[in-house]
Every structure is written in C-alpha cells, then in structure tokens.
Amino acid sequence: MQIREVFDRKRFVFLDGGMGTQLQARGLQPGQKPELAALEMPEVLTAIHTDYANAGADILLANTFGANAKKLTGCGYTVEEVVSASIACARKAAETTGACVALDIGPLGELLVPAGTLAFEDAYNEFAQVIRAGAAAGADLVFLETMTDLYELKAAILAARENCDLPVFTSMSFESRGRTFTGCTVESYAVTAAGLGVDAVGINCSLGPKEIFPMAKRLTEALPGSFPVFVKPNAGLPRADGSGYDITPQLYAMQMKPYRELGLFAAGGCCGTTPEFIQLLNGVFADCRPGRPDHPMKSVVCSPMDCVDVDGITVVGERINPTGKKRFQQALREGDMNYVLEQAVSQTEAGAQILDVNVGAPGVDEPALMEQVVKALQSVTSLPLQLDSSNVEALARGLRVYNGKPIVNSTNGEPEKLAAILPLCKKYGAAIVGLAIDEKGIQPKAADRVAIARRITEAALAAGI
C-alpha cells in the first residue's frame, strides 16, 4: 500500500499490534532496552513485523517508540543509528506485502513545565531529532502515540510539521474516567490536534476495546465526518498475576464489532495484542468504508481540561489588559507575574469562560512578555485564553506555547491585516475574532459592515480555518 492509498478512503486501513509484549515473548531479557532490538536482535524484530504484515497490517510501526536522546543516553548508539536500523527492519518485513512503515514516537518520559521540569522548547528539540532521523531513513509517516500530555503532543506535532513533510498520525491514551493522566479531555485533544494540522487522530493503549469505545465515539463526534479517526486498544487489561492480558483474540474481535458503527478510518491493537488479533480484525472490518456522515460542528476553544462552546453569549474576562491601568502597566514592566495571575484567578472565580490576554504596555518587550504570561496563566487556570495583540510577533510567540486551542483577538477586513494574522491562526489551530471594520474605519451602513464580515469569513475559510 502506498501512503497516498491510506487516505483515498476506498477501504479500511489496518494497523499492526503490540510490539513490546511481542519482543518480551520472543526473547527480550529484563533490563534489555527494547529500542535496541534492531541492533541486538534484528531477526526477531523483523519476524514480528513480518507476522503483522502477513496478518493484514497495512501500516507497520517501526520499533522507535522510545528512540529519543533521553531514553538512549548511555546505550552506545545515537538516535540516528537506532532509528535507521529500526526502520530498515520494518521496511524489510514490508517488502512482501507492500505495507507502509511508520516512524513510531512515544512520550519522552518527563512532564513538561508547569506540571514537570521539561521545557516546551527542549521537548520540541528532542522530537525534532527523532523525526529528522526517521524522514532520512525513509519512513512513510510519523505516528505519535500513547501521549497523555496535550502540551507534549503539541511539541511533537510542531516538530513533525516543521522538520519533515510526512503525514502525521496522533494518538492519546485515556483512563476510564474519560481523561488522560494529565486531565486532558477527548474533545480538547480532538480540536487541538486537528487544528494543528495532523492527518489522523486516535486512541490507543491503557484500556481494552470495551472501555475505549465511549471515548472513541466522543472523538468521532468532536470532528467532521471526513476527518480520519482510528483506535488501537489493548488486549483488555493486565492480569493481576502478571501473566499477560485478559482477553483472547476472539473476544477482542467481538468487542471491536461495535466500532463498525463509528465510521473509523483504521484500527489495530496495542499492548498484549498479537498477529492473530490483527488477522481477526481484518474479518471484523473487511467490508467497512472509512468516513462518517457530516454533522453540525460547534465553534470551540479549549485548554486541555476545559472546552468552551462558542454558541451564544460567551463571557470573556478583559482585565488582563494594561490599557488605562497604571498599576497593571507597572506590573508588566517589573515582571510582577503575581499581580497578573491575581487578575486571572479573580475573573475565573467571577464566572469568566475565557480570559483575554493583552500585555502591550509601553516600554516592554511584548513578544517575550506574551510568551511568559501565557505560560504563567496556564499554570494557575484551566480557562481557555484569548490572545490580544496588534503585534504579530507577540501573537506568534503566545500561540506557539499555548496548550490547547486559543482564540486570537483580532483581525479586521484590511487585506494586510488578514494576510498577517490568518496564517498564524491556521498554523497553530486558533479561532479568531473578526471585527467588521477595515482601513476606512466603521462603515455607517449595515450592508457595508456585513460585506466586511463576509470578506473576513471568506479569507479565513480560504486560509483553511
């Protein structure tokens, strides 16, 4: 299967199954790094890939899940050596069936600031190194999986988009409560990843088919019918005695049948699944065609933990703004984040649904300050943010480090303004406020203001927003 055929929607796409559990079953020793299998046990790794290809997998995930600089420290091999060898094993297995090979990338193993100590930019650089290595080694696509932190996922998506031209799949792991370990909702994941321009989104790991189904349903409902969605559940849950997972291939296939109703694009397996699981999945989805009926889509802005549907009066807190506020201007010049954060907390307690963020005070470095304030605010409030600036660089800095889908305040109908702001909103998946004015100011006739609003709307749609 050529990578372009994956997206032609003519037939269902089958992913492969578990890798770590297969390596353990075939001789990986305790303490041995699974990421080094392509260098230390290449015949075994190639055999696993071959078994999945023969079972009907259209996409083989290379054994690169943890092949990043942090996890490979001290192993004696570089990221590039491990990635290249791993993709070569998958490529060799794919020769007989024509399967595609994905560069598989998992979490870095550290929480990002503010929850942890890893800086967003450092995470980006770690992912970028792996992605450049994968693209150079001949991967057909980038597969970001088992993510639990939306911020880390954003760093990985940006690294993929800015360091290669391959398709990007993303997958997060959710707990039974319907959120990831860090609290991210299904809906926040969906709109953020789609807004950042990924090619498919999914759910994998943590749970079995039965437990993941309601979350997969929410994922399909949060996206247009044409947007590709996939799942890779575990083989149920781990047994208490450590002897494996609790459902058989036959039961797995039976529990996957309800997914036929969701109009998925692809399916496979995660921990505990084997080639037999994938072979039986082929029977479950053999006559399915990707795609779902279109349904009305809400306008949404979000942080990882809170989604706000902009479908009526939406309350925006406007006090994080130095205009006419000498004390606020002083706080910004002095870098007094406590004063800024107090404004955020008080507005949150007063019922704001979104917080406007404007740091354009005289005598400050607005781009640097916008980035600093956005990061600080997201450490104390889960409300979505509205980034408010006429400084394009400040908007770009704030949008890049924002965790979720923000809204930009604002653009008007001036061609230069639209040309500067809309590409930023597209790249970072932001919504935007449109002001029905242009270079001539506020038009006295309603029809003229409507014409400007239409111009803004058409420009946004043309930009892919």
Side-chain angles (χ1 to χ4, degrees):
M1 172 177 273
Q2 298 295 315
I3 190 61
R4 64 177 180 275
E5 296 178 77
V6 170
F7 298 103
D8 66 11
R9 309 180 74 78
K10 290 182 180 178
R11 73 169 179 85
F12 198 84
V13 174
F14 294 95
L15 307 172
D16 62 7
M19 175 54 72
T21 46
Q22 280 291 288
L23 286 170
Q24 290 169 353
R26 303 193 195 197
L28 186 74
Q29 298 300 307
Q32 189 176 1
K33 281 185 178 291
E35 295 83 9
L36 302 185
L39 296 159
E40 297 178 347
M41 44 196 293
E43 296 84 4
V44 171
L45 178 58
T46 302
I48 294 171
H49 287 311
T50 300
D51 288 348
Y52 279 128
N54 291 335
D58 297 306
I59 298 177
L60 303 177
L61 274 63
N63 185 41
T64 51
F65 181 83
N68 59 71
K70 287 186 177 297
K71 292 186 177 179
L72 294 179
T73 298
C75 76
Y77 297 100
T78 66
V79 168
E80 290 74 17
E81 288 170 334
V82 173
V83 169
S84 179
S86 299
I87 288 180
C89 287
R91 183 65 69 195
K92 184 176 180 180
E95 288 175 355
T96 55
T97 66
C100 294
V101 173
L103 173 68
D104 187 29
I105 299 178
L108 297 173
E110 285 187 50
L111 288 174
L112 272 67
V113 175
T117 58
L118 181 62
F120 180 84
E121 296 79 8
D122 291 340
Y124 170 93
N125 290 330
E126 294 280 348
F127 287 124
Q129 181 184 14
V130 180
I131 288 159
R132 287 192 296 268
D140 295 308
L141 67 145
V142 176
F143 202 107
L144 309 171
E145 67 164 337
T146 324
M147 296 290 182
T148 60
D149 183 351
L150 188 63
Y151 207 26
E152 182 176 21
L153 179 61
K154 178 173 181 176
I157 293 171
L158 290 176
R161 284 288 174 227
E162 295 176 354
N163 289 275
C164 74
D165 58 2
L166 302 176
V168 179
F169 289 19
T170 67
S171 185
M172 294 196 82
S173 296
F174 292 85
E175 298 180 347
S176 56
R177 62 193 177 114
R179 292 177 180 265
T180 69
F181 169 74
T182 60
C184 180
T185 69
V186 172
E187 290 75 17
S188 292
Y189 161 49
V191 299
T192 301
L196 289 168
V198 305
D199 297 281
V201 300
I203 297 174
N204 80 295
C205 208
S206 295
L207 303 167
K210 191 174 181 180
E211 295 82 11
I212 284 178
F213 181 81
M215 289 172 268
K217 186 172 187 295
R218 286 168 55 191
L219 189 59
T220 61
E221 291 169 349
L223 294 164
S226 60
F227 200 96
V229 174
F230 64 89
V231 293
K232 288 190 71 178
N234 284 350
L237 302 174
R239 297 192 189 99
D241 62 3
S243 61
Y245 287 75
D246 67 355
I247 62 175
T248 63
Q250 292 74 22
L251 182 56
Y252 188 87
M254 183 181 299
Q255 291 187 358
M256 288 296 290
K257 286 183 178 179
Y259 286 87
R260 291 169 53 93
E261 308 166 10
L262 300 185
L264 298 180
F265 144 81
C270 204
C271 300
T273 61
T274 68
E276 186 180 359
F277 283 70
I278 305 308
Q279 186 174 25
L280 292 177
L281 272 188
N282 274 258
V284 173
F285 293 101
D287 59 343
C288 288
R289 292 282 294 271
R292 307 174 299 283
D294 279 324
H295 56 277
M297 295 303 303
K298 298 175 180 178
S299 293
V300 175
V301 294
C302 73
S303 69
M305 291 178 280
D306 284 334
C307 270
V308 174
D309 295 338
V310 185
D311 58 358
I313 298 298
T314 304
V315 180
V316 181
E318 296 272 1
R319 292 189 59 80
I320 304 175
N321 188 322
T323 305
K325 303 185 185 80
K326 291 183 178 179
R327 176 65 186 92
F328 199 99
Q329 292 178 19
Q330 179 186 352
L332 292 178
R333 283 193 293 268
E334 295 175 354
D336 182 1
M337 286 297 112
N338 287 335
Y339 185 83
V340 178
L341 299 183
E342 286 170 7
Q343 304 304 310
V345 172
S346 65
Q347 290 180 102
T348 301
E349 293 173 347
Q353 295 170 277
I354 298 172
L355 296 180
D356 188 83
V357 184
N358 186 316
V359 296
V364 303
D365 181 347
E366 188 177 352
L369 197 54
M370 177 66 86
E371 178 179 336
Q372 182 185 0
V373 169
V374 167
K375 289 179 176 179
L377 286 170
Q378 292 207 291
S379 71
V380 299
T381 179
S382 64
L383 293 187
L385 303 182
Q386 175 173 278
L387 307 190
D388 182 358
S389 178
S390 58
N391 184 314
V392 175
E393 186 184 351
L395 286 176
R397 293 274 292 269
L399 288 169
R400 188 170 185 84
V401 300
Y402 179 80
N403 190 2
K405 178 180 178 178
I407 185 167
V408 167
N409 184 19
S410 58
T411 188
N412 58 36
E414 297 178 45
E416 296 81 6
K417 187 89 168 177
L418 293 169
I421 301 299
L422 294 184
L424 277 179
C425 294
K426 170 60 178 173
K427 177 177 181 177
Y428 293 111
I432 185 157
V433 175
L435 306 180
I437 60 176
D438 61 12
E439 63 273 12
K440 299 176 184 177
I442 302 175
Q443 298 298 301
K445 293 182 180 179
D448 292 334
R449 297 196 293 274
V450 170
I452 295 171
R454 184 172 289 113
R455 186 192 314 157
I456 294 170
T457 302
E458 290 173 353
L461 292 170
I465 298 171

